[in-house]
Amino acid sequence: MAAGLGTRMKSRTPKLLHPLLGRPMVAFVVDAARAVSGHRPLVVTSPATAAVRDALADVDFALQAEPRGTGDAVAAALAELPSDVDEILVLTGDAPLLEPDLLEALLEERRLDQAAIGLVAVDAIEPGRLGRVIRDDAGTVERIVERKDATDEEIAVNEINSGLYVFDAAWLRGRIGSLSPSPKTGELYLTELVELARTDGRLVVAVTVEDDGRLLGINDRAELAQAEWDLRTQINAEHMRAGVTMRDPSTAYIDATVTLAEDVTLEPNVILRGSTSVGEGTTIGAGSQIVDSTIGAGCHVWASVVEESTIEDGAKVGPFSHVRPGSHVGPDAEVGNFAELKNTRLGRGVKQHHMSYLGDAELGAGTNVGAGTITANFDGRRKHRTTIGERVFLGVDTMLRAPLTIGDDAKTGAGAVVTKDVPPGKLAVGMPARLRDPHPVEPDPDPADSGADAAPDGTEPDTDAAPRAAVPADPSSDGSA
């Protein structure tokens, strides 16, 4: 049942659409119903909760045109069910911690006694305002009494109704029309069916569970937070039993839709959301947030944000990087501190070590991105792409004005402002950049050094020297880039 708005949430969003670990709470109840029945669940909504229909897939819907209580909701559902259905399971949409095993036990209990109704009762520590389950001297369920209607003796009963039922469908069809409106609210309450079943000489059976808070429903934001804590604790434990290391499980926030391979390590304060998957042996470092992204095997993402992107095997991201939607970091590539990507593809082994922005770009394998490199991809009206070949060396503070293509093995000098295509193997220097052939470069004695801060002629820059003023390009030159 999902027709109630849930006013105690104090929200314009219907209660059942408030998220738990990346999914609307009602989705967990739908999953439990599908798991135990093997059929498409039927979800009852009202005009006020029409948005629920957009949030769920592989379900059928019934409309409760004017919400008039739980009995009216079940009547709306019955009108949509095939006539050959012989058993009906009724669940509330605000109990996301519901387990299929409990529903299996409930179904088995009703079938065993051929009861008209089976229900789940809770042996509550604090019954509060919830309806009491009243039994006769033989222990048979006789009726459910609302707190406001209960006598002092009935108020003392600790066994309460959870709102979870299974019905003999034929009996329910014959009796649903017998419900009488409440004199106070005018609503039809499903609980009245218990007394009607006993009047008909039919059994009502109950499966009683301990009060762990999992079945009492979510009515406000505090209960929502508690449910999320409980569900997160359960999901984190399942991941750890499956081979995931969590340095501090209490600070690992993992949506229910996330998949983690064996030997993944999550350091403290990690958030993984949406359809994210993380490959074997990858470490997600402290302070990282990953949303709807695929992270390959053997990667290291540290104190960075990755959104709707792919990080391939062996790549390193961070610290303090931002990989924005549509990006693809190739195998063994490195994206360092204060580096940003947007809709950009890095080939194998590309090094973008620090303080740079690459937007709407594609970089070939082995390319090195110097500190301060910027792709100027937006002209105020449209976005343009930058294509950079393989083994390209971009000097520090290079600005690339898109649309632009830089060929394989080309280079740019420090501070170059490149406004035109650079052919393969050429060197672009100046502002705007001019082209010339690069000087031969001696082999790097230390292959582990990426050379991100090296000058294009192979010499190390003088970091203590004062910056030189830009030299305007010769306007008569036809070699500008």
Side-chain angles (χ1 to χ4, degrees):
M1 294 184 289
L5 188 59
T7 55
R8 278 185 280 173
M9 296 295 286
K10 300 191 183 303
S11 173
R12 292 185 178 89
T13 301
K15 177 174 73 170
L16 301 188
L17 292 184
H18 281 263
L20 282 174
L21 300 185
R23 303 182 71 202
M25 71 170 80
V26 68
F28 293 94
V29 181
V30 167
D31 286 350
R34 185 183 293 113
V36 75
S37 70
H39 299 290
R40 288 167 62 96
L42 179 68
V43 179
V44 182
T45 63
S46 68
T49 62
V52 170
R53 296 182 174 228
D54 297 326
L56 298 175
D58 196 28
V59 301
D60 296 318
F61 293 98
L63 177 64
Q64 188 181 12
E66 181 184 353
R68 295 177 53 239
T70 53
D72 186 57
V74 170
L78 280 171
E80 300 295 331
L81 287 174
S83 59
D84 60 350
V85 171
D86 58 9
E87 193 172 42
I88 297 173
L89 188 65
V90 177
L91 310 177
T92 60
D94 62 355
L97 302 181
L98 181 63
E99 294 287 348
D101 288 350
L102 176 59
L103 299 181
E104 290 279 8
L106 176 61
L107 291 168
E108 187 174 328
E109 186 73 13
R110 191 207 70 81
R111 293 165 184 166
L112 184 64
D113 292 320
Q114 289 296 298
I117 305 172
L119 60 88
V120 175
V122 177
D123 189 7
I125 300 171
E126 293 290 340
R129 297 178 299 175
L130 299 172
R132 272 45 169 192
V133 176
I134 306 301
R135 298 176 182 259
D136 64 15
D137 293 339
T140 301
V141 176
E142 286 290 312
R143 65 188 188 281
I144 297 172
V145 180
E146 297 301 322
R147 168 66 174 79
K148 61 181 179 295
D149 300 323
T151 65
D152 289 344
E153 184 180 359
E154 290 168 341
I155 289 173
V157 173
N158 286 338
E159 192 175 22
I160 61 173
N161 177 34
S162 70
L164 308 176
Y165 307 91
V166 59
F167 293 95
D168 177 330
W171 177 86
L172 180 62
R173 288 190 181 95
R175 269 307 207 170
I176 194 70
S178 302
L179 296 177
S180 55
S182 165
K184 292 186 178 180
T185 66
E187 295 185 346
L188 303 176
Y189 293 124
L190 207 55
T191 51
E192 187 184 351
L193 288 170
V194 174
E195 290 184 71
L196 293 176
R198 297 301 294 138
T199 299
D200 293 343
R202 297 291 301 272
L203 281 176
V204 177
V205 297
V207 174
T208 302
V209 297
E210 294 182 359
D211 184 4
D212 59 4
R214 299 170 69 86
L215 299 181
L216 301 186
I218 294 172
N219 295 297
D220 56 35
R221 308 293 181 112
E223 292 173 352
L224 179 69
Q226 182 61 54
E228 181 155 50
W229 174 275
D230 292 341
L231 189 58
R232 183 160 60 87
T233 300
Q234 173 185 320
I235 287 176
N236 286 1
E238 291 171 356
H239 282 303
M240 288 187 285
R241 283 193 289 268
V244 174
T245 295
M246 298 185 189
R247 302 298 185 198
D248 183 0
S250 68
T251 65
Y253 292 79
I254 306 170
D255 278 358
T257 48
V258 169
T259 58
L260 304 176
E262 292 181 2
D263 288 325
V264 165
T265 297
L266 305 182
E267 294 183 353
N269 298 309
V270 163
I271 300 174
L272 306 179
R273 299 211 182 281
S275 58
T276 292
S277 65
V278 182
E280 184 175 350
T282 284
T283 296
I284 308 298
S288 296
Q289 296 189 43
I290 302 175
V291 182
D292 293 326
S293 296
T294 300
I295 313 297
C299 297
H300 190 174
V301 180
W302 177 24
S304 296
V305 177
V306 182
E307 305 172 87
E308 300 174 31
S309 295
T310 298
I311 312 296
E312 291 200 53
D313 296 353
K316 297 179 180 179
V317 175
F320 314 121
S321 300
H322 189 180
V323 182
R324 291 168 56 193
S327 295
H328 191 117
V329 178
D332 302 317
E334 298 176 9
V335 181
N337 49 295
F338 305 107
E340 181 177 358
L341 299 174
K342 193 275 296 184
N343 193 27
T344 288
R345 187 180 189 93
L346 305 185
R348 177 181 291 275
V350 168
K351 292 179 172 57
Q352 182 193 359
H353 275 163
H354 35 219
M355 296 179 296
S356 55
Y357 168 72
L358 300 175
D360 300 298
E362 181 160 353
L363 284 73
T367 285
N368 186 88
V369 180
T373 295
I374 300 291
T375 56
N377 55 319
F378 184 49
D379 64 8
R381 293 178 300 172
R382 292 177 299 170
K383 299 289 181 69
H384 301 279
R385 289 199 66 79
T386 298
T387 301
I388 300 171
E390 297 183 356
R391 300 173 301 281
V392 171
F393 183 99
L394 301 175
V396 296
D397 289 330
T398 294
M399 182 175 291
L400 305 170
R401 191 189 71 181
L404 191 70
T405 297
I406 298 181
D408 294 347
D409 300 302
K411 298 182 179 182
T412 67
V417 178
V418 185
T419 61
K420 293 185 179 180
D421 293 350
V422 179
K426 291 293 185 178
L427 170 65
V429 295
M431 183 177 64
R434 294 162 294 168
L435 298 180
R436 63 185 177 89
D437 292 324
H439 296 301
V441 178
E442 295 296 325
D444 189 345
D446 182 4
D449 186 355
S450 70
D453 295 315
D457 60 359
T459 64
E460 292 294 325
D462 182 1
T463 56
D464 297 325
R468 292 179 291 178
V471 179
D474 181 356
S476 63
S477 172
D478 60 0
S480 62

